[in-house]
Amino acid sequence: MREELLALLAANTGALTLQDILLNFLIAGLLGVVIYLSYRVSHAAAVYSAKFNVSLIMLALITTLVMNVIGNNIALSLGMVGALSIVRFRTAIKDPRDTAYIFWAVAVGICCGVQEYLISAIGSGVIFLFMLLFGAVKSNERYLLVLRGDRAVEEELEKAVGQIFGGKARFRVKNTSRDTLEYIYELSEKQVRQADRKSGSLTLQLGKLEGMTAVNLVSQNDEINR
């Protein structure tokens, strides 16, 4: 019984020919280009990483290479899992969508490595369409409006902010001292745009108030800080 199990684990049925191997890499490369184009189109220029995009194609080819080596050899597949389990990747993922592209490239490599070309082609086509459809979805940017001035401007400042944003500005922090004060409001991107269209430059208008020393508008989201 033990000998039969060892023979089963060591068996490598269905060995690939040179033509099969080349075809696997060709299909994986073509689908990798599809992944490349999808990533290029769905990411904004500010967060687009050409090096990461190229690595997606390479990831699909490398996964295909691994699958070609494993084939139907169970023992080799278990050893490969153990060997790859010690690999640690320290590169931070800046955009959550990048994780989906990594899994997409790995899935393409696996499918091509086992010669499931139809599944990989149909799956890539469906994912490509969904990535194009939802790739334009961007994070809802939140803005922090930081206002600093003299204590004497407190009442006028609160009134001006209420008028500009229709009382919808989300109050967050108020710091005061004997002579100065600081307000921090949280605003949506829509509120900032509406205020700019309504009254011109938001920061310039608030900066005109007598006693104001600083008006800062800070934007921070998952993609880029500025």
Side-chain angles (χ1 to χ4, degrees), residues 55-68:
S55 69
L56 292 175
I57 301 179
M58 303 308 299
L59 183 59
L61 295 174
I62 292 171
T63 307
T64 302
L65 173 63
V66 173
M67 294 303 299
N68 286 338

Side-chain angles (χ1 to χ4, degrees), residues 5 9 16 29-31 55 77 90 122 124 141 144-145 154 158 171 208:
L5 290 176
L9 291 174
L16 297 175
L30 293 176
L31 294 178
S55 69
S77 65
R90 301 299 183 185
I122 295 176
S124 295
E141 292 188 353
L144 292 179
L145 179 63
E154 179 176 358
E158 292 180 355
F171 174 74
K208 291 179 181 179

Side-chain angles (χ1 to χ4, degrees), residues 167-180:
K168 296 181 180 180
R170 183 175 298 179
F171 174 74
R172 286 302 187 187
V173 179
K174 179 180 180 181
N175 298 318
T176 59
S177 65
R178 180 185 299 272
D179 300 319
T180 63

